[in-house]
């Protein structure tokens, strides 16, 4: 029948098939293969990445379907057995996969699948080597590769203190204002505060999920994720509809570290998951930073250990973060300002006379001149200037410091 695709009986195809055909149009075999691989294996499996590197994504998918190890892949009998077991497991999962449907669902909510070699693929992910993602599912208008050129990961405890939440939101807002993308994991606590801070400053922010980008987890952040999908970017290694699993949260931390130029741990308990992001940041040669906290707080233990034992850089504000991850010699933090006291404006000789006065009691002009290393007429002149400036006052036996001058010593 003219005007559209028909079934074998001549009836019009269901509307979802037209959308599926539109979605598949222009989709390469490589992209379809990687979509299937995302469903067949857990994120970042080293053996699967070796298989892909050896024969390519399409042939890797075929090897899983047939459970045949390509020639030259296994270097030993033990390794051959490992590949056999993994191929069997991947094959079982592949039988239940529906990559075409995953891409269709992704298309429905305005998402996309980004693969290595695509313009939006961040090449920094290749630093993960055999643990890099097979592909990434994205939701939102942000450009992942461009956003990661100037990016910082802010991570920390889910059970954050008011102090940690304030630091996270303020730091994220300040970084976003200065054009830096804030990357985090979308969790409760520090992560959510960082995303909200960046959004409040109308800046870019990226959440890396351990589940599908259409699955709001935790549910309490549903509104936050909806706003990020509208204005920023949600990222996952898992196909749409994938539910979170505990181990995937640790696995996704490597992606957070790899996407960013440095990681700031804001609050972390001794066994916080944020510390795995810190470990990956160091493995990848990224800058590791930590914010100090109250010494008696459990949420400070992890940060203080990073500062004491792991060589993390102590940061307290956006300028220090940008100096650590920015261009060498260009993005320098300003020197902390110290209060300017009246005595700071005194010339060297006048200051020497002031320092020659005792903290208690009085001293005569000759005594002051000798201690300051000046002749008597010069010392007398400086004593008069200091008296006019409110530093000294007359006393029996010479001159003494005024009460105000004593407080400023």
């Amino acid at each position: 029948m003219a005007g559209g695709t028909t079934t074998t009986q001549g009836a019009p195809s269901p509307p979802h098939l037209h959308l599926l055909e539109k979605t598949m149009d222009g989709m390469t075999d490589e992209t379809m293969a990687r979509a299937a691989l995302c469903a067949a294996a857990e994120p970042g499996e080293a053996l699967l990445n070796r298989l892909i590197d050896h024969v390519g994504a399409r042939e890797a998918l075929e090897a899983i379907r047939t459970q045949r190890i390509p020639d030259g892949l296994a270097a030993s009998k033990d390794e051959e057995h490992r590949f056999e077991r993994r191929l069997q497991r991947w094959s079982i999962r592949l039988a239940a996969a529906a990559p075409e449907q995953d891409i269709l669902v992704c298309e429905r909510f305005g998402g996309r699948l980004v693969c290595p070699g695509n313009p939006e693929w961040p090449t920094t992910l290749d630093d993960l080597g055999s643990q890099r993602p097979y592909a990434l599912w994205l939701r939102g208008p942000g450009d992942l590769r461009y956003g990661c050129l100037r990016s910082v990961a802010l991570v920390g405890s889910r059970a954050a203190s008011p102090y940690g939440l304030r630091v996270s939101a303020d730091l994220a807002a300040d970084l976003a204002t200065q054009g830096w993308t804030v990357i985090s994991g979308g969790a409760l606590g520090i992560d959510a505060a960082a995303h909200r801070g960046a959004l409040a400053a109308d800046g870019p922010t990226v959440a890396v999920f351990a589940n599908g980008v259409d699955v709001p987890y935790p549910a309490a952040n549903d509104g936050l994720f909806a706003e990020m999908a509208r204005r920023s970017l949600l990222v996952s290694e898992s196909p749409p509809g994938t539910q979170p699993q505990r181990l995937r949260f640790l696995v996704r931390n490597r992606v957070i570290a790899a996407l960013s130029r440095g990681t700031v741990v804001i609050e972390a308990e001794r066994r916080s998951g944020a510390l795995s992001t810190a470990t990956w940041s160091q493995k990848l040669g990224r800058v590791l930073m930590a914010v100090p906290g109250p010494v008696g707080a459990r949420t400070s233990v992890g940060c203080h250990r990073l500062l004491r034992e792991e060589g993390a850089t102590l940061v307290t504000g956006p300028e220090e973060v940008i100096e650590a991850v920015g261009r060498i010699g260009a993005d320098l933090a300003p020197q902390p300002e110290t209060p300017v006291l009246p005595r700071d404006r005194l010339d060297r000789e006048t200051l020497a006379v002031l320092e020659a006065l005792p903290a208690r009691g009085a001293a005569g002009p000759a005594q002051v001149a000798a201690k300051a290393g000046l002749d008597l007429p010069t010392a007398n002149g400086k004593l008069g200037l200091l008296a006019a400036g409110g530093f000294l006052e007359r006393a029996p036996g010479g001159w003494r410091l005024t009460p105000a001058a004593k407080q400023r010593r």
Side-chain angles (χ1 to χ4, degrees):
M1 182 181 292
T5 303
T6 62
T7 64
T8 55
Q9 289 78 20
S13 299
H16 75 274
L17 290 182
H18 290 294
L19 181 57
L20 180 59
E21 290 171 359
K22 180 181 178 182
T23 303
M24 297 301 109
D25 184 35
M27 192 74 64
T28 66
D29 291 342
E30 179 80 6
T31 300
M32 287 299 301
R34 287 185 177 271
L37 293 173
C38 287
E42 285 297 303
E45 290 202 45
L47 289 180
L48 181 52
N49 268 316
R50 281 187 55 192
L51 178 58
I52 295 172
D53 290 342
H54 190 67
V55 296
R58 287 177 295 175
E59 292 302 318
L61 187 62
E62 186 62 23
I64 293 174
R65 285 185 178 134
T66 61
Q67 297 188 51
R68 292 181 179 176
I69 303 174
D71 293 339
L73 179 61
S76 66
K77 279 293 182 183
D78 287 343
E79 197 168 72
E80 185 176 334
H81 292 322
R82 287 167 53 204
F83 270 110
E84 287 174 351
R85 290 192 296 269
R86 289 300 177 88
L87 286 172
Q88 184 178 26
R89 183 188 306 171
W90 296 334
S91 177
I92 293 171
R93 291 182 54 159
L94 182 62
E100 297 90 349
Q101 190 69 20
D102 291 337
I103 292 176
L104 174 61
V105 171
C106 191
E107 174 76 11
R108 282 176 175 166
F109 58 65
R112 58 200 179 276
L113 182 66
V114 176
C115 302
N118 292 163
E120 199 176 352
W121 181 263
T123 55
T124 54
L125 290 173
D126 297 334
D127 293 344
L128 290 168
S130 63
Q131 292 178 281
R132 64 188 177 277
Y134 322 124
L136 289 175
W137 303 85
L138 273 54
R139 183 181 186 184
D143 185 294
L144 182 60
R145 184 177 183 276
Y146 178 78
C148 291
L149 294 178
R150 284 166 56 89
S151 61
V152 179
L154 303 185
V155 298
S157 174
R158 288 174 170 81
S161 70
Y163 162 82
L165 295 175
R166 183 178 69 253
V167 170
S168 181
D170 290 348
L171 184 57
D174 290 338
L175 288 169
T177 299
Q178 298 185 54
W180 287 80
T181 298
V182 174
I183 300 176
S184 198
L188 296 173
I190 296 299
D191 291 15
H195 294 309
R196 290 193 176 99
L199 290 174
D202 200 24
T205 182
V206 175
V208 182
F209 283 0
N211 42 269
V213 291
D214 59 335
V215 177
Y217 184 87
N221 287 344
D222 190 9
L224 170 63
F225 298 147
E227 186 65 12
M228 291 184 67
R230 188 178 72 84
R231 295 168 53 189
S232 292
L233 201 57
L234 307 176
V235 177
S236 177
E237 297 178 77
S238 301
T242 302
Q243 296 298 314
Q245 293 182 10
R246 185 173 183 178
L247 289 179
R248 287 179 185 157
F249 287 100
L250 292 176
V251 172
R252 67 88 192 266
N253 288 342
R254 78 195 198 290
V255 178
I256 295 175
L259 288 176
S260 61
R261 296 178 65 171
T263 294
V264 182
V265 182
I266 295 176
E267 279 191 330
E269 296 188 22
R270 185 178 298 276
R271 294 178 59 85
S272 172
L275 298 180
S276 75
T277 309
T279 299
W280 272 107
S281 186
Q282 289 185 307
K283 283 182 180 179
L284 296 171
R286 308 295 196 264
V287 180
L288 176 60
M289 297 157 279
V291 175
V295 295
R298 290 173 55 188
T299 50
S300 301
V301 174
C303 292
H304 293 170
R305 184 177 67 78
L306 293 176
L307 292 168
R308 186 178 63 253
E309 300 175 10
E310 304 298 332
T313 299
L314 188 152
V315 292
T316 60
E319 294 82 7
E320 294 171 355
V321 173
I322 293 172
E323 179 179 2
V325 299
R327 296 165 297 170
I328 296 176
D331 296 314
L332 298 177
Q335 291 296 319
E337 295 183 1
T338 55
V340 178
L341 301 176
R343 65 183 295 130
D344 296 332
R345 298 188 175 95
L346 300 177
D347 63 70
R348 182 180 298 179
E349 289 185 345
T350 306
L351 185 60
V353 170
L354 180 62
E355 294 292 340
L357 269 294
R360 296 179 180 179
Q367 183 182 357
V368 171
K371 193 171 181 180
L374 300 172
D375 58 75
L376 187 58
T378 300
N380 274 325
K382 298 300 182 184
L383 288 168
L385 289 175
L386 289 169
F391 292 92
L392 306 180
E393 59 186 9
R394 290 274 189 183
W399 297 89
R400 68 184 176 193
L401 296 172
T402 62
K406 290 180 180 178
Q407 292 178 359
R408 294 195 294 262
R409 268 204 136 175

